[in-house]
Amino acid sequence: MGDWFTREIADAGRLRLFCFLVAFIAAFLFIRFSVRMIRRQARWWPGNVAPGGRHIHHVVFGLVFMCVGGVGGLALTDDSSGWAAAAAAVFGAGTALVLDEFALVLHLQDVYWSEQGRLSVEVVFITIALCGLMLVGLRPLGVDDAAGDGLWGIAGILLFNLCVALIALLKGKVWTGVIGLFIGLVAIIGAVRLARPDSPWARRRYAEGSRKERRARSRERRYRLPVQRLGDRLSDLIAGRPSIKS
């Protein structure tokens, strides 16, 4: 394990990304455990930070950590030093605290335990997936594959990969589009297949009652909804079940 870490992480220049990801996951799991204990009103758990009766959301602490870790990382010249790793870890922990309340920031209201609050968990999962893909050596938009094709070849490949990934996202296929940023074939498949029925692409291009609209809704019921229910169960297990009221 030590040889693998040295070869694949430290020597490959991924130490800071590794520390960021580990701290990100640890901070997310900790804060979700904390808020679930607060929600249960566990007497042995400290509870909310509320000086003078004002509830301080953990997104505030996350912003402070991100500033400290980000500025600290920029000030360091040795990317492989222990201090650089520590700065990346602080930045990762802060990012987790901020993204855990992404839905609150987006809606500018406390939707943490509502159905809308699921968005925060989805964003966290997507961030973990993106960091994991980069940690194993993948680069977005096929940068490595295009490196030897000259300037125009690189620009063409990057533009094509970006376009198909954006089409997949516009079709409502978030995971396909995100993974497609790193694996072009996945983005191409997402771009050529039917859009999800309530996606921006479908609302603009599939007329109500048209054959494509009916097929999209049929596929949604048959394939997407079971996967969504499985994802919701996993989210509830890790992050807690939302309240009935939104």
Side-chain angles (χ1 to χ4, degrees), residues 12 49 54 94 108 116 130 142 145 157 175 181 183 187 189 191 215 221 233 237 243:
V49 178
R54 179 188 294 274
L108 293 181
Q116 293 171 315
L130 289 175
D145 296 335
I157 291 175
W175 280 101
L181 289 171
I183 305 173
I189 293 173
R215 286 180 57 206
R221 290 190 300 268
R233 292 193 190 101
L237 178 65
S243 303

Side-chain angles (χ1 to χ4, degrees), residues 165 167-179 189-196 199 219 224:
I167 291 174
L169 291 171
L170 288 173
K171 288 189 171 185
K173 303 174 182 182
V174 176
W175 280 101
T176 301
V178 168
I179 296 175
I189 293 173
V192 299
R193 294 182 67 84
L194 278 173
R196 296 186 61 193
S199 65
R219 289 176 58 85
R224 173 67 185 180

Side-chain angles (χ1 to χ4, degrees), residues 195 197-198 212-222:
D198 295 323
K212 281 189 175 182
E213 196 265 350
R214 293 197 304 271
R215 286 180 57 206
R217 295 201 176 276
S218 176
R219 289 176 58 85
E220 184 82 359
R221 290 190 300 268
R222 182 178 302 177

Side-chain angles (χ1 to χ4, degrees), residues 26-36 58 96-97 100 112:
F28 171 69
L29 293 177
F30 169 78
I31 199 61
R32 277 290 165 169
F33 175 80
S34 175
V35 295
R36 292 179 75 171
H58 50 266
L97 297 181
D100 187 57
Y112 196 85

Side-chain angles (χ1 to χ4, degrees), residues 80-244:
S80 60
S81 67
W83 285 110
V90 172
F91 190 79
T95 305
L97 297 181
V98 170
L99 294 185
D100 187 57
E101 293 200 309
F102 179 84
L104 179 149
V105 176
L106 179 65
H107 295 283
L108 293 181
Q109 56 181 320
D110 193 351
V111 294
Y112 196 85
W113 290 117
S114 71
E115 284 292 330
Q116 293 171 315
R118 287 187 187 274
L119 177 62
S120 298
V121 183
E122 293 176 5
V123 170
V124 167
F125 286 173
I126 289 173
T127 303
I128 293 173
L130 289 175
C131 291
L133 289 171
M134 289 189 289
L135 196 61
V136 299
L138 295 180
R139 292 293 179 265
L141 301 178
V143 172
D144 292 339
D145 296 335
D149 293 336
L151 179 60
W152 289 109
I154 293 174
I157 291 175
L158 294 182
L159 182 60
F160 175 78
N161 289 342
L162 179 61
C163 286
V164 292
L166 286 176
I167 291 174
L169 291 171
L170 288 173
K171 288 189 171 185
K173 303 174 182 182
V174 176
W175 280 101
T176 301
V178 168
I179 296 175
L181 289 171
F182 294 83
I183 305 173
L185 180 61
V186 175
I188 293 172
I189 293 173
V192 299
R193 294 182 67 84
L194 278 173
R196 296 186 61 193
D198 295 323
S199 65
W201 185 279
R203 289 198 300 267
R204 190 171 184 85
R205 300 180 66 89
Y206 298 173
E208 186 174 354
S210 66
R211 182 171 177 269
K212 281 189 175 182
E213 196 265 350
R214 293 197 304 271
R215 286 180 57 206
R217 295 201 176 276
S218 176
R219 289 176 58 85
E220 184 82 359
R221 290 190 300 268
R222 182 178 302 177
Y223 302 113
R224 173 67 185 180
L225 291 183
V227 174
Q228 183 66 49
R229 285 193 290 267
L230 180 61
D232 289 345
R233 292 193 190 101
L234 178 61
S235 174
D236 293 345
L237 178 65
I238 296 175
R241 186 185 299 274
S243 303
I244 296 176

